[in-house]
Amino acid sequence: MPRKNVTEQLSAKDEGLARAAEILADGGLVAVPTETVYGLAARADSAEAVARIYDAKGRPSFNPLIVHVKSIEQAEALAYFDESARGLAARYWPGPLTLVLPMRERAGLAAAVSAGLPTIALRHPGHPVMSALLDRLDFPLAAPSANRSEGVSPTKPEHVMASLGVSCPAVILGGPTQAGLESTIVALRKEGEWSLLRPGPITKETLEQTLGPESPKSAVKIEAPGQLARHYSPGKPVRLEATEVAPDEFWIGFGPLDGDCNLSESGDLNLAAAQLYENLHRAAASSKPRIAVAPIPESGVGRAINDRLRRAATQ
């Protein structure tokens, strides 16, 4: 029997997945590994279950959630897919791409999932544990990152438990995640227009090969997770583009600029992305009151890394 006031730790095998499915079916919360970060999952068709996500995270209600599905068929029951959406799903799903699409009138989702918007953010994750869990369920899962709102996203079960404590009743022990950054979010609009709402593992250059040039930016509004100016904060002042370090700063290096830790000594941006949050957690736990981060190239997945760092540095 699970103990009260203790996060239940579940194996990533059949027994643990069966228990996770039971908790979710009953409207509870479970932290689940994906290929990007750990998500705090609840059934997306239950207003009470989704409310528990917002409460556990301290998340503002105007910030929508990503709904995770087990198939394109389940996704098309929730949103309207045009030719561009089907093309992206065929190429990148399962994987770290979220599509923001017009929601069907009878999608059957809790209203809080879309934060009152006429669109819904959908992803078909590729992580074997998350995929196996979704296959056990007859409902989709809302699953933002499994950490307190505005905090550093979790890439290990330990990060989840340190951030949420018993606010997260259960966590699947799926080991460290791979991509290390949240999914790329793309909004598909009328007449073939599209917007990159959040950079991620699938780069803008790659998307433009499929969709053509990104449409001109419209007025800023919250359409998807990760768009708040302040986010991913380690709880300390963060200084970017640091080529030198002060004695009271924990220095996160990159390439030849070594520090207390290094995102990638070889300058590999994919490795840097995978290790970003782990190093921000280390910096947050250090005795030094400030954090400095070496320059990261603004190209490829480096754009996603810098996006997260700029939001982490916003006070």
Side-chain angles (χ1 to χ4, degrees):
M1 293 289 293
R3 291 178 291 168
K4 293 183 177 180
N5 300 321
V6 176
T7 299
E8 190 175 353
Q9 299 181 41
L10 308 176
S11 80
K13 299 187 182 299
D14 286 346
E15 183 179 355
L17 293 177
R19 172 61 181 153
E22 177 186 12
I23 294 170
L24 291 164
D26 288 341
L29 304 180
V30 180
V32 184
T34 76
E35 65 270 39
T36 55
V37 299
Y38 272 73
L40 185 61
R43 57 185 306 159
D45 60 351
S46 166
E48 293 79 9
V50 171
R52 292 186 180 103
I53 293 178
Y54 282 97
D55 183 58
K57 286 178 61 67
R59 184 184 180 95
S61 60
F62 58 79
N63 198 4
L65 304 175
I66 293 174
V67 174
H68 295 69
V69 296
K70 60 183 173 183
S71 65
I72 182 66
E73 291 78 16
Q74 189 176 50
E76 291 210 43
L78 303 176
Y80 293 102
F81 277 66
D82 60 12
E83 184 178 347
S84 294
R86 290 191 183 94
L88 288 175
R91 182 170 181 180
Y92 298 112
W93 280 6
L97 177 68
T98 295
L99 300 178
V100 175
L101 301 168
M103 184 165 54
R104 290 187 180 274
E105 290 81 359
R106 298 182 180 180
L109 299 176
V113 167
S114 60
L117 296 170
T119 54
I120 187 68
L122 296 173
R123 181 158 91 91
H124 180 192
H127 192 285
V129 174
M130 182 59 143
S131 296
L133 178 60
L134 284 165
D135 284 342
R136 290 174 174 265
L137 306 173
D138 58 4
F139 49 82
L141 294 176
S145 58
N147 58 283
R148 293 289 296 176
S149 184
E150 297 188 355
V152 180
S153 298
T155 57
K156 294 180 178 180
E158 296 86 348
H159 298 159
V160 175
M161 291 183 281
S163 180
L164 293 178
V166 295
S167 295
C168 177
V171 58
I172 297 177
L173 304 179
T177 62
Q178 296 172 334
L181 290 178
E182 295 85 355
S183 62
T184 302
I185 302 181
V186 173
L188 296 177
R189 311 191 191 282
K190 295 180 179 179
E191 299 178 355
E193 294 189 345
W194 66 281
S195 298
L196 180 63
L197 300 184
R198 182 176 71 187
I202 298 172
T203 65
K204 177 181 178 180
E205 293 88 344
T206 300
L207 291 167
E208 287 182 331
Q209 293 174 11
T210 304
L211 298 172
E214 183 182 9
S215 307
K217 296 289 187 182
S218 58
V220 176
K221 61 179 179 178
I222 302 300
E223 295 182 272
Q227 290 187 280
L228 298 178
R230 176 181 166 86
H231 205 0
Y232 317 110
S233 173
K236 298 177 179 181
V238 178
R239 183 169 64 91
L240 306 181
E241 303 287 330
T243 56
E244 298 179 349
V245 64
D248 66 343
E249 290 180 316
F250 183 99
W251 197 15
I252 299 176
F254 177 75
L257 291 177
D258 208 5
D260 296 283
C261 58
N262 196 312
L263 293 174
S264 171
E265 294 179 1
S266 65
D268 183 327
L269 287 174
N270 289 320
L271 179 59
Q275 298 193 136
L276 175 62
Y277 291 144
E278 169 67 15
N279 283 303
L280 283 174
H281 280 288
R282 289 180 60 187
S286 77
S287 60
K288 296 180 179 179
R290 299 191 297 150
I291 300 169
V293 185
I296 306 296
E298 189 73 17
S299 61
V301 75
R303 288 197 182 94
I305 297 171
N306 284 319
D307 170 76
R308 306 309 196 273
L309 287 172
R310 284 190 288 269
R311 295 175 196 273
T314 299
Q315 298 298 309

